Amino acid sequence: MSRLKLFIPVFVFMVMAVMLWRGLYLDPRTLPSVLIDKPLPEFELPRVEDEALISKADLPDEPFLLNVWGSYCLPCLQENPILMAAKEAGVVPIVGVNYKDKLNLARLWMDDNGSPFDFSIMDADGRLGINLGVYGAPETFIVDGNGVIRYKHIGVIDYKTWDEEIMPALAAVKAEATL
Amino acid sequence: MRRLPVLLRLLCWSLLLAVGAAVTTVLPQPAVAAVDAFAFETDEQQRRFRQMSDDFRCPMCQNTSLTGSSGGVAEDLRREIYLMIMDGKTDYEIEQFMLERYGDFIFYRPRLTLETVLLWFGPLLFLVLGGWIIFGIIRRAQPLAQEQVALNDEEQQRLKALLDNVKRD
Amino acid sequence: MVPELGQFALILSFCLCVLLGTLPLVGAGTGNQLWISLARPLTAGVFVFLSLCLLILGYSFVTDDFSVQFVAQHSNSLLPIQYKITAVWGGHEGSFLFWTWMLALWMLAVSLFSKAMPDDFVARVLGIMGLIGAGYTLFMIATSNPFDRVLPLSPADGADLNSALQDIGFIIHPPSLYMGYVGFSVVFAFAIAALLSGRLDSAWARWSRPWANAAWAILTIGIALGSWWAYYELGWGGWWAWDPVENPPMINWLLGTALIHSLAVTEKRGVFKSWTVLLAIMAFASSLLGTFITRSGLLTSVHAFASDPTRGVYILGFLGLVIGGSLLLFALRAPLMKSEFGFASVSREVFLLANNIILVVASAAILLGTLYPMVYQAVSGGELISVGPPYFNTIFVPLMSLLVIFLVMGAISRWKKTSAAYLKQQLRYVAIASVVLGLILPLALTLEFHVGASIATALGLWIVLGIVQDIRLKIANKPSLLAGLRSLAVAYVGMQIAHFGFAVILLGAALTSIYSIEKSVLLNPGEGVDLGNYHFQFDGTEHLSGPNYEAERATFQVLRDGEFVRELHPEKRVYVASMSPSTEMAIDAGFTRDLFITLGEERESGAWSMSIYIKPLVRWVWLGSIIMALGAIVAVLDKRYRRLRVKTLAQEASAPQTSPDGSGGQTVTG
């Protein structure tokens, strides 16, 4: 073996070590959405509030937030005040997707905590959730005026997330709409 | 200390017997898997269902397949797969369904794309590299081997001469 | 007060490790006999204080000392005593202490069983292990102290041990796995000591072999126990998931296999020296990598401890220093290691080398698959892919098949030169028999042709018949079969046992993957279902109250071809405290097949959903592992490794230092 070849193992190892070091600062858990820039899936489901059947056509014509929630979901409770504040300020319409929940429990939750939603779509068997690539509440989508998904946030929304992620993304979507 | 080898042997045997017993005994134990009671018309459908349930990753779990996960979105996805199989959809169509909603993350068998060429052909590359190394080592070992043979011949002569001397004495 | 003693003992262990890692090493380099002689006592000291740490932590658990944070996180006053003790390794801090203690245990073993080796060499070996120990203890003191307290407001009771861990598998799997994993630091230390001293002869290989074999055998058992535990814990028949935390011990095992064979060649033929040293470094690197992956949160796994990038950075830094340094040393010193002999292009050396390469390629492939998602995420800017069992099985199975083919050829070949004609002559009938039986047997037993099953059967028989043939050749000239068998060298017998065990694993793993069947059904009490040759009759359920749960206990009559086999009683439980349901599967374990039933849910109609599994030959996976480990241990017990001690005995006996009454001088120890 020529002398230089003997240094190959050290070299290979160092490259691997650098890769591993970089890897430590990645988050392998948050699954980015593959539905960005794709249209919202079609659906025909009842509303939580009055059980009236609605479909994609009944969604707002302007950019809005689609928030996936459930009465069983603790982080959803945590982000409720922030969404309520957004509703008070009239910043953006919020439509809820009540994911794999029971109708009476959902209504109870909204009565107890207040509903930031214009209305909530009842997705009792989780089919709409699957079509949205949801894997657990809470998840929040930003949908533009044409019914196209433009952004997805997974997990609870705290004040920091609202200011640093949601609002800028929303502003970008709105800016495009006016072009 | 001199008895140690016997003790060591005893220890090894008993340890192995214990492990052997443990491995073959049966204790009631909690299981994690979920059970769906889907009715299939043919065994082939059941087999396809199990195969796909094994090969798709549960999006919300800590690295488990759809088979190994109880509740939540995994349950829903298994139901969807069942319905699609009964509906006559092909494996490819079902995979596309998953891909459109969850991306490549959901495939435990990574698709062969430009980005995964290194992954799929890497091992073959390693094997070829390994083969090249072996040939190199064998080639380098040849002159030494022949040298030995030659030496041995020479040594044989010397040995013979020595033996002849001994015999004479 | 007591946990503080543990803290103190930990710090003391660190100090002793530092001393051990410096003085004897320097002493060996400069010839300072005093410093060299410090190695064994310092090792004993490290062992004593780390044992104290472990005992104190155990004591804290047993006495429900919830002021210790680790105890509060992983125990509970109602936890049964055996789980309180084993909870010591139920979380990161405690299990790392346990890991470090294992290192101390191996160090002690080396210091006790090394009388045949020169003192300066042993000093180097212990010194290097001391350096490793220093790194581990410093890590604990700095980032993962098991003795951290929660004061002044200690919790009244603990958070309890994860219910999945309250199980016998948890009692035996981590200790054996850690013992095997850590054991490779011994042969690593031997390799580094050899590089440092420039002494790399076949004596070094002979000294290393028992340690390598022992670590390998224990690791084999550790991995097998993990697989067995997962099988009945998970309840859907899986026994190996290629999970990112499972893969490093497998890589370690593969490299370890390559290492023990390479050591054999180096000892007997004086070749492959630098390759063997490199393998020793790589095997140890894989054990460090394992601990890194498990504890750093780098990859998603069911087994991972709670992640913390700080810890990850520390372990990575340690990994970089130790392995980077070793590989650098290797690059600088390897040219000193010259092969003494050559070998022909068809010889035992070549087949062993080929299999070594295959094992390393398999390890590299598994590593590639394990780390690829992380690299992909980094390079693609956040996109995630998954690499799972379909990939690993596709890569691993062909490689292992190739390995099996060479295995038999290598075992029958002679050292240095074997004529291809000789090989052909000896193995011709073995090959034919294997192929023919491979085609016939599965067909005869299942009445269906399956390519994979035939290949697997042929490969398994190739090994077994190859063993039979080789033994036949060896005892051909002996008066009787018994005499022949008794004349076989212990190490040789060990090798054949281990290879036989490997064949058993191969057959079990392949055939259970191919022939397992299952059915999920909805049954009302009184209904039954057929699966394979069996009939499962559901007799209904009865309510049962356990100590901390309520359960529905089902009764099944299992019949085979109409004849009663046994009853099975799976349960569906609801634990009162957490209100969480859990299902207890009922297994009928057997040598030729496992049957098991897992209950699902009760419907309003009174029918129950359930899954029934028949898994042929699944136990062969673990039984084969035990046999394989047994083979390695038998080989270690070969007297050859104790020959020098006997020689020393003989020398001392004839030494001119007896007193007039004939009593000897020193009594020989060890």
Side-chain angles (χ1 to χ4, degrees):
Chain A
M1 254 199 194
S2 82
R3 292 209 70 141
L4 228 55
K5 276 196 225 162
L6 291 172
F7 284 89
I8 294 179
V10 185
F11 180 69
V12 168
F13 173 73
M14 281 300 151
V15 168
M16 237 184 46
V18 169
M19 282 193 327
L20 290 173
W21 179 70
R22 279 274 288 131
L24 280 175
Y25 297 102
L26 296 169
D27 172 18
R29 284 301 303 139
T30 311
L31 183 57
S33 176
V34 292
L35 291 166
I36 306 288
D37 296 337
K38 299 249 172 51
L40 264 181
E42 295 290 343
F43 63 90
E44 204 176 280
L45 291 167
R47 301 204 303 195
V48 173
E49 288 80 1
D50 57 6
E51 291 186 77
L53 272 180
I54 49 170
S55 70
K56 214 169 136 183
D58 299 305
L59 295 170
D61 284 327
E62 50 169 315
F64 67 96
L65 292 184
L66 191 66
N67 177 265
V68 179
W69 66 278
S71 62
Y72 48 80
C73 155
L74 204 57
C76 304
L77 196 57
Q78 286 171 346
E79 67 181 13
N80 183 277
I82 297 168
L83 295 179
M84 288 298 285
K87 179 181 177 180
E88 299 296 305
V91 173
V92 61
I94 308 180
V95 173
V97 176
N98 183 244
Y99 180 63
K100 287 171 71 79
D101 208 351
K102 296 251 178 345
L103 185 62
N104 54 328
L105 292 175
R107 285 184 178 159
L108 222 68
W109 190 92
M110 293 199 296
D111 287 340
D112 286 341
N113 304 299
S115 164
F117 310 114
D118 287 5
F119 55 87
S120 271
I121 307 166
M122 243 205 86
D123 183 24
D125 61 5
R127 276 253 177 79
L128 178 58
I130 290 181
N131 287 331
L132 286 168
V134 164
Y135 57 89
E139 294 184 14
T140 309
F141 296 85
I142 297 180
V143 185
D144 71 13
N146 298 318
V148 174
I149 298 173
R150 303 305 298 277
Y151 186 84
K152 182 182 184 187
H153 174 79
I154 295 174
V156 73
I157 296 177
D158 53 18
Y159 284 108
K160 188 158 178 264
T161 315
W162 182 265
D163 286 333
E164 292 176 13
E165 282 183 39
I166 309 283
M167 289 312 289
L170 191 59
V173 171
K174 282 188 175 164
E176 260 186 40
T178 57
L179 280 172
Chain B
M1 271 302 212
R2 242 164 290 178
R3 274 194 254 279
L4 199 58
V6 177
L7 276 176
L8 202 64
R9 252 181 268 234
L10 212 65
L11 181 67
C12 295
W13 276 110
S14 36
L15 259 168
L16 277 166
L17 275 165
V19 173
V23 160
T24 48
T25 42
V26 162
L27 303 157
Q29 283 307 329
V32 176
V35 175
D36 319 298
F38 294 136
F40 292 98
E41 286 159 8
T42 69
D43 280 344
E44 174 65 12
Q45 285 172 339
Q46 165 109 54
R47 189 202 60 78
R48 280 178 67 204
F49 175 78
R50 178 59 195 254
Q51 178 82 45
M52 277 193 271
S53 181
D54 283 344
D55 287 353
F56 287 133
R57 183 173 184 169
C58 161
M60 62 183 237
C61 315
Q62 299 280 94
N63 198 28
T64 337
S65 65
L66 289 184
T67 307
S69 167
S70 52
V73 74
E75 209 172 44
D76 298 340
L77 286 173
R78 283 197 306 268
R79 181 195 61 218
E80 292 302 310
I81 296 174
Y82 167 71
L83 291 171
M84 282 190 274
I85 290 180
M86 297 309 283
D87 205 20
K89 297 272 191 307
T90 64
D91 285 0
Y92 177 74
E93 287 170 319
I94 298 176
E95 284 167 15
Q96 283 302 110
F97 178 90
M98 294 294 183
L99 185 64
E100 282 161 17
R101 287 151 183 76
Y102 293 96
D104 282 287
F105 181 78
I106 203 159
F107 291 145
Y108 264 140
R109 181 194 313 267
R111 293 186 303 153
L112 183 57
T113 64
L114 204 62
E115 291 93 352
T116 59
V117 158
L118 269 177
L119 175 69
W120 281 105
F121 289 99
L124 188 62
L125 229 80
F126 295 153
L127 198 59
V128 168
L129 187 67
W132 183 64
I133 293 179
I134 295 184
F135 282 119
I137 294 180
I138 295 178
R139 218 169 7 113
R140 239 162 309 160
Q142 295 308 301
L144 274 173
Q146 280 154 8
E147 229 176 77
Q148 244 87 72
V149 173
L151 272 170
N152 280 337
D153 278 345
E154 191 192 292
E155 280 175 340
Q156 292 272 32
Q157 302 280 31
R158 282 171 55 203
L159 182 62
K160 191 165 179 296
L162 279 168
L163 284 174
D164 288 340
N165 281 337
V166 167
K167 275 195 212 135
R168 246 182 272 134
D169 293 333
Chain C
M1 178 50 200
V2 170
E4 271 63 42
L5 277 177
Q7 179 107 298
F8 186 61
L10 187 61
I11 296 176
L12 216 59
S13 309
F14 168 67
C15 297
L16 288 174
C17 280
V18 171
L19 283 175
L20 179 57
T22 48
L23 298 179
L25 277 176
V26 172
T30 57
N32 184 330
Q33 287 305 320
L34 176 66
W35 285 7
I36 288 177
S37 67
L38 286 176
R40 287 197 172 92
L42 281 173
T43 301
V46 169
F47 179 74
V48 162
F49 283 104
L50 277 172
S51 302
L52 202 63
C53 288
L54 207 59
L55 285 169
I56 289 174
L57 191 59
Y59 177 79
S60 301
F61 268 99
V62 168
T63 56
D64 286 336
D65 184 355
F66 298 116
S67 69
V68 178
Q69 188 171 46
F70 187 71
V71 178
Q73 284 169 341
H74 299 282
S75 183
N76 186 278
S77 50
L78 298 173
L79 194 62
I81 183 93
Q82 70 269 30
Y83 298 125
K84 279 190 186 167
I85 296 174
T86 59
V88 164
W89 53 81
H92 165 64
E93 292 85 347
S95 73
F96 199 82
L97 176 63
F98 191 52
W99 173 277
T100 310
W101 180 80
M102 279 296 175
L103 179 71
L105 186 65
W106 282 101
M107 280 163 68
L108 186 72
V110 171
S111 80
L112 291 175
F113 298 116
S114 53
K115 297 295 158 51
M117 299 178 240
D119 283 337
D120 64 325
F121 187 77
V122 176
R124 281 204 160 101
V125 170
L126 291 174
I128 290 156
M129 292 180 83
L131 279 177
I132 299 172
Y136 290 165
T137 45
L138 185 62
F139 173 68
M140 277 191 283
I141 295 171
T143 73
S144 321
N145 195 331
F147 300 108
D148 276 342
R149 302 267 239 162
V150 189
L151 292 169
L153 296 163
S154 316
D157 208 332
D160 207 4
L161 186 65
N162 188 331
S163 58
L165 301 179
Q166 296 184 31
D167 182 85
I168 186 166
F170 185 59
I171 299 179
I172 51 180
H173 163 62
S176 52
L177 181 73
Y178 281 15
M179 199 160 155
Y181 235 158
V182 177
F184 280 95
S185 48
V186 176
V187 71
F188 167 76
F190 272 68
I192 301 299
L195 283 177
L196 286 174
S197 67
R199 179 192 288 134
L200 250 159
D201 44 21
S202 41
W204 166 78
R206 189 175 60 243
W207 299 330
S208 308
R209 283 187 78 185
W211 298 100
N213 273 28
W216 183 86
I218 298 172
L219 183 63
T220 305
I221 301 255
I223 297 176
L225 283 175
S227 166
W228 170 73
W229 185 25
Y231 172 75
Y232 71 74
E233 183 82 28
L234 297 177
W236 42 271
W239 45 269
W240 186 259
W242 296 107
D243 178 86
V245 167
E246 290 174 15
N247 289 346
M250 175 56 94
I251 293 175
N252 196 349
W253 185 86
L254 291 166
L255 291 174
T257 310
L259 179 61
I260 58 179
H261 289 85
S262 194
L263 273 170
V265 182
T266 305
E267 182 202 354
K268 296 201 168 124
R269 302 289 305 149
V271 296
F272 299 168
K273 286 178 188 171
S274 40
W275 176 248
T276 303
V277 167
L278 189 60
L279 275 175
I281 297 175
M282 291 201 298
F284 179 60
S286 67
S287 96
L288 283 182
L289 185 72
T291 213
F292 171 70
I293 289 180
T294 314
R295 297 168 195 275
S296 65
L298 182 80
L299 301 165
T300 316
S301 162
V302 282
H303 301 86
F305 292 110
S307 62
D308 184 350
T310 326
R311 290 179 179 154
V313 170
Y314 184 100
I315 302 180
L316 187 59
F318 182 71
L319 187 72
L321 209 65
V322 171
I323 303 301
S326 309
L327 289 175
L328 200 62
L329 183 64
F330 167 78
L332 294 171
R333 287 291 175 94
L336 296 175
M337 301 180 274
K338 281 271 176 307
S339 278
E340 286 155 25
F341 305 104
F343 48 88
S345 53
V346 179
S347 59
R348 205 181 226 195
E349 287 93 325
V350 167
F351 287 114
L352 282 174
L353 182 63
N355 274 354
N356 252 229
I357 296 288
I358 292 176
L359 286 163
V360 172
V361 168
S363 306
I366 296 175
L367 188 65
L368 179 67
T370 308
L371 294 180
Y372 205 81
M374 177 198 85
V375 175
Y376 188 89
Q377 186 183 10
V379 167
S380 72
E383 282 171 40
L384 297 182
I385 61 167
S386 300
V387 178
Y391 171 81
F392 291 110
N393 288 331
T394 308
I395 303 294
F396 195 66
V397 169
L399 282 173
M400 288 297 112
S401 307
L402 202 58
L403 182 105
V404 168
I405 295 174
F406 288 139
L407 188 157
V408 178
M409 303 202 322
I412 287 223
S413 303
R414 301 223 179 88
W415 292 113
K416 185 153 175 192
K417 191 172 154 77
T418 304
S419 79
Y422 171 78
L423 270 182
K424 239 188 280 192
Q425 179 197 37
Q426 302 307 332
L427 290 175
R428 192 183 338 151
Y429 294 116
V430 175
I432 294 175
S434 304
V435 171
V436 169
L437 286 171
L439 287 170
I440 296 181
L441 280 176
L443 194 61
L445 291 170
T446 64
L447 304 177
E448 232 177 63
F449 180 71
H450 190 288
V451 169
S454 289
I455 296 178
T457 311
L459 286 173
L461 286 172
W462 172 242
I463 299 178
V464 174
L465 295 175
I467 292 176
V468 170
Q469 170 73 333
D470 196 38
I471 294 180
R472 263 192 60 227
L473 286 172
K474 279 218 149 51
I475 65 176
N477 298 323
K478 296 292 187 276
S480 73
L481 181 63
L482 200 59
L485 288 175
R486 288 172 68 171
S487 74
L488 296 172
V490 173
Y492 176 81
V493 171
M495 168 184 95
Q496 297 296 34
I497 293 176
H499 287 170
F500 177 71
F502 183 61
V504 172
I505 296 177
L506 186 156
L507 288 169
L511 297 175
T512 201
S513 304
I514 295 170
Y515 289 119
S516 290
I517 43 180
E518 69 179 272
K519 212 175 214 171
S520 296
V521 284
L522 203 60
L523 285 182
N524 283 300
E527 290 178 344
V529 64
D530 287 324
L531 188 64
N533 292 338
Y534 292 87
H535 179 80
F536 297 86
Q537 189 66 23
F538 180 37
D539 283 350
T541 62
E542 56 175 1
H543 189 83
L544 196 71
S545 281
N548 55 341
Y549 61 83
E550 299 294 311
E552 288 297 314
R553 185 172 187 261
T555 301
F556 283 83
Q557 307 291 331
V558 182
L559 294 97
R560 185 200 158 99
D561 296 327
E563 274 182 43
F564 178 76
V565 174
R566 63 171 288 174
E567 272 185 6
L568 284 174
H569 298 284
E571 290 175 21
K572 196 70 197 277
R573 293 183 184 172
V574 178
Y575 282 86
V576 172
S578 52
M579 287 310 286
S580 59
S582 97
T583 173
E584 303 274 323
M585 52 193 262
I587 311 182
D588 178 34
F591 182 69
T592 53
R593 90 291 174 276
D594 264 24
L595 305 170
F596 64 90
I597 306 179
T598 313
L599 282 181
E601 259 141 31
E602 188 174 17
R603 301 294 163 85
E604 276 141 25
S605 56
W608 277 85
S609 63
M610 59 193 68
S611 291
I612 303 174
Y613 298 81
I614 300 182
K615 299 193 71 73
L617 302 185
V618 70
R619 304 258 147 198
W620 284 27
V621 174
W622 310 305
L623 287 173
S625 307
I626 297 179
I627 296 172
M628 213 164 52
L630 183 66
I633 294 183
V634 166
V636 169
L637 299 174
D638 188 309
K639 290 198 184 50
R640 184 166 44 157
Y641 300 112
R642 289 175 276 126
R643 202 188 294 144
L644 275 175
R645 236 184 298 156
V646 175
K647 220 160 135 193
T648 325
L649 256 168
Q651 280 171 350
E652 309 239 6
S654 60
Q657 50 170 236
T658 47
S659 52
D661 63 357
S663 60
Q666 305 164 303
T667 15
V668 180
T669 51

